[in-house]
């Protein structure tokens, strides 16, 4: 997956943030299941403005790593 880079309204670079579709693909989950995890408070997310939800790649990596069964 290409490096995802966005800019917020003040022009600051927000690096490695993904929308629902990108995060679901990254984790190999359905979008509906990702939304369910977010609603349950299980999955970390970033709130941009008052409504935009994004997922930080490093947080998703950590979340998945914490659930790894060894």
């Amino acid at each position: 997956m290409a490096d995802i880079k966005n800019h917020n309204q003040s022009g600051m670079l927000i690096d490695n943030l993904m929308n629902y579709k990108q995060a679901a693909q990254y984790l190999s989950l359905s979008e509906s299941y990702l939304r369910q995890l977010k609603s349950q408070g299980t999955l970390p997310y970033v709130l941009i403005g008052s409504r935009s939800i994004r997922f930080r790649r490093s947080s998703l990596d950590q979340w998945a790593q914490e659930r790894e069964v060894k």
Side-chain angles (χ1 to χ4, degrees), residues 1-48:
M1 178 178 279
D3 213 17
I4 300 165
K5 296 184 183 213
N6 297 312
H7 292 83
N8 66 11
Q9 291 176 344
S10 66
M12 288 179 57
L13 182 65
I14 302 173
D15 210 358
N16 295 321
L17 292 181
M18 296 180 251
N19 61 26
Y20 278 103
K21 183 177 182 176
Q22 293 164 328
Q25 283 182 319
Y26 184 72
L27 292 172
S28 300
L29 301 173
S30 69
E31 268 187 74
S32 61
Y33 186 59
L34 185 81
R35 288 177 186 276
Q36 181 181 349
L37 292 172
K38 184 260 172 196
S39 294
Q40 293 171 349
T42 305
L43 196 64
Y45 63 92
V46 177
L47 182 62
I48 299 177

Side-chain angles (χ1 to χ4, degrees), residues 1-4 16 18 26 55-61:
M1 178 178 279
D3 213 17
I4 300 165
N16 295 321
M18 296 180 251
Y26 184 72
F55 301 92
R56 189 178 309 279
R57 182 178 301 188
S58 60
S59 296
L60 296 178
D61 289 340

